[in-house]
Every structure is written in structure tokens, then in C-alpha cells.
């Protein structure tokens, strides 16, 4: 709600308890509810996942435990994911007759296709280290270091200009779906736009003058 606040610099999504996120409440998806209700559930979920990438600040998933189905989708949708060694990631919907088609959108954009499809077809979980190897998470650390590592990344982000990060994040997601030539056209223009930002000039001046930049954000 306060996303335009200058003080908001990074968002960390975490959980309490042994599970990071188990996905949808299946009681909301029973035949007792109609198609309209089911559509609203999945539309809201998609809205949340796409909103994460539209936010002007980096979003970090701090994962400590199991992330399944839409919970796995949530991890894949975040900009950065730090996981404890005990964490696992799965899309087990196929085992209960509900294929994880919406989680597949985020998984298919974060993982190699064959890895994503094996997860989707079998429902078998990836370990934290397998998730790291295939690019679903950014880092894996011991459970007792999870908070420290997440805060370390967050604090490093907070050292940079909010306006520059916002421009960079929006551009990254815009160009990643384009062909190579279009991606370079987009990012070349954005680099020029970046130079017109007050913080763009401040950063260059500070570098030349060998001083620490003072960001206006």
C-alpha cells in the first residue's frame, strides 16, 4: 500500500512455521463453489504474482521450509530467493488431479524447461541445492544464517538509488521476453534515460570526484 514511500526500499516475503507456503487452500476449490468463485481465486493469485514484478522495489523470498504449488510459484515470481538448506520446492498438483498450470508460468520462466516439466509431471520435490543449481533460488544457506544473509542482501540494495533500481527492474522484465535486437533497442534507450535521472548524474559525479554518492531517490 505504501509502495511509493521513499522509505520503502526492499520487500522481504517470509513465513512463520515449518512451511513457507503450501499454495491454495483446496477447500476453496471444491465443487461446493461455482466456476465464478474458482476463477476469482486463480485471477487473484495471478494478480499477486504479476504485481511482484511490477513493484518498483526488489522483492526477496526468504524461504525456510516447503514451498509447493502456488507457494513454489511465489518463489519463482520473486526477484531474489534465499533459501535454507532444509527447504524444498514442488508442484504436486498432478497427484491430486489438479495440474499446476498457473505455477508452470513462473516455473517455466525460471527453470530449464525439462526440469520444470519433470517437477510438473511427477510432483516430486527439488531440494534446496537442486533449486539453486537450476536457478529457482539465488542462494542456499544454513537455517541459522538465513536471516543474516537475507538482511545482507537487503542492506546492499538499500545502498543504491531507489529510482535507478525501479528503472532497472522494470526494464529487466520488459526486455527479457524480447528478441535480442529489440532488447538492445529498449535497454539502449533506458541507459540514456537513466543518465537524465538526478541520481544517474549524482552517481557519475561522485565516482569522478571519488566520493560517496548522495541519492535523492
Amino acid at each position: 500500500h505504501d509502495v511509493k514511500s521513499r522509505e520503502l526500499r526492499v520487500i522481504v516475503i517470509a513465513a512463520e512455521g515449518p512451511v513457507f507456503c503450501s499454495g491454495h487452500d483446496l477447500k476453496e476449490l471444491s465443487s461446493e463453489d461455482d466456476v465464478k468463485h474458482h476463477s476469482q481465486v486463480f485471477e487473484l493469485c495471478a494478480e499477486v504474482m504479476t504485481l511482484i514484478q511490477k513493484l518498483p522495489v526488489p522483492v526477496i523470498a526468504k524461504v525456510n521450509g516447503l514451498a509447493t504449488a502456488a507457494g513454489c510459484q511465489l518463489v519463482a515470481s520473486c526477484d531474489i530467493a534465499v533459501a535454507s538448506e532444509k527447504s524444498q520446492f514442488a508442484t504436486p498438483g498432478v497427484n491430486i488431479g489438479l495440474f499446476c498450470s498457473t505455477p508452470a508460468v513462473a516455473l517455466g520462466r525460471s527453470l530449464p524447461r525439462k526440469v520444470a516439466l519433470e517437477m510438473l509431471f511427477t510432483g516430486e520435490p527439488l531440494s534446496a541445492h537442486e533449486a539453486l543449481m537450476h536457478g529457482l533460488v539465488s542462494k542456499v544457506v544454513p537455517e541459522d544464517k538465513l536471516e543474516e544473509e537475507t538482511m545482507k542482501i537487503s542492506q546492499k540494495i538499500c545502498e543504491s538509488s531507489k529510482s535507478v533500481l525501479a528503472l532497472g527492474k522494470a526494464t529487466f522484465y520488459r526486455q527479457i521476453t524480447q528478441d535480442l535486437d529489440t532488447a538492445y533497442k529498449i535497454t539502449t534507450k533506458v541507459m540514456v534515460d537513466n543518465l537524465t535521472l538526478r541520481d544517474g548524474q549524482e552517481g557519475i559525479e561522485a565516482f569522478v570526484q571519488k566520493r560517496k554518492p548522495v541519492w535523492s531517490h
Side-chain angles (χ1 to χ4, degrees):
H1 292 287
D2 207 19
V3 73
K4 292 184 180 179
S5 167
R6 185 182 295 188
E7 283 68 42
L8 179 64
R9 308 298 305 287
V10 61
I11 294 171
V12 177
I13 298 178
E16 295 180 352
V19 173
F20 173 74
C21 181
S22 56
H24 288 290
D25 180 354
L26 295 180
K27 293 175 184 175
E28 289 190 342
L29 304 178
S30 70
S31 58
E32 295 176 9
D33 295 302
D34 58 16
V35 170
K36 182 179 179 182
H37 172 79
H38 294 160
S39 295
Q40 288 173 340
V41 169
F42 289 113
E43 286 167 5
L44 178 60
C45 181
E47 184 181 345
V48 171
M49 301 302 169
T50 55
L51 177 62
I52 288 171
Q53 295 182 358
K54 292 175 183 176
L55 292 170
V57 296
V59 179
I60 302 173
K62 185 176 80 169
V63 187
N64 190 27
L66 188 64
T68 62
C72 189
Q73 179 185 4
L74 180 60
V75 175
S77 298
C78 287
D79 303 314
I80 296 170
V82 185
S84 68
E85 291 174 330
K86 75 174 188 180
S87 299
Q88 290 186 305
F89 306 85
T91 49
V94 67
N95 298 327
I96 59 165
L98 184 65
F99 196 88
C100 287
S101 293
T102 47
V105 175
L107 278 183
R109 286 161 169 75
S110 296
L111 292 167
R113 184 176 299 180
K114 289 178 175 59
V115 176
L117 285 171
E118 182 179 346
M119 288 182 70
L120 292 161
F121 289 158
T122 68
E124 289 296 303
L126 288 184
S127 69
H129 287 289
E130 287 172 325
L132 177 64
M133 178 174 66
H134 295 304
L136 181 58
V137 301
S138 318
K139 287 190 175 182
V140 173
V141 296
E143 185 177 5
D144 62 356
K145 298 288 185 183
L146 182 59
E147 176 72 14
E148 177 185 336
E149 186 60 35
T150 304
M151 288 303 103
K152 181 180 175 182
I153 295 170
S154 300
Q155 287 161 3
K156 184 63 180 175
I157 289 170
C158 290
E159 293 177 9
S160 298
S161 162
K162 180 175 182 177
S163 56
V164 171
L165 284 174
L167 179 64
K169 176 175 173 175
T171 305
F172 178 85
Y173 286 113
R174 184 179 163 207
Q175 64 83 25
I176 200 70
T177 58
Q178 305 295 322
D179 64 78
L180 195 63
D181 288 341
T182 303
Y184 272 118
K185 286 178 183 176
I186 290 169
T187 52
T188 297
K189 182 180 184 305
V190 171
M191 293 291 285
V192 174
D193 293 341
N194 196 156
L195 287 171
T196 68
L197 293 179
R198 186 190 304 177
D199 282 350
Q201 286 301 312
E202 167 61 16
I204 292 173
E205 289 174 11
F207 179 82
V208 172
Q209 296 169 9
K210 295 183 172 59
R211 61 173 175 82
K212 194 171 182 179
V214 180
W215 306 124
S216 66
H217 304 296

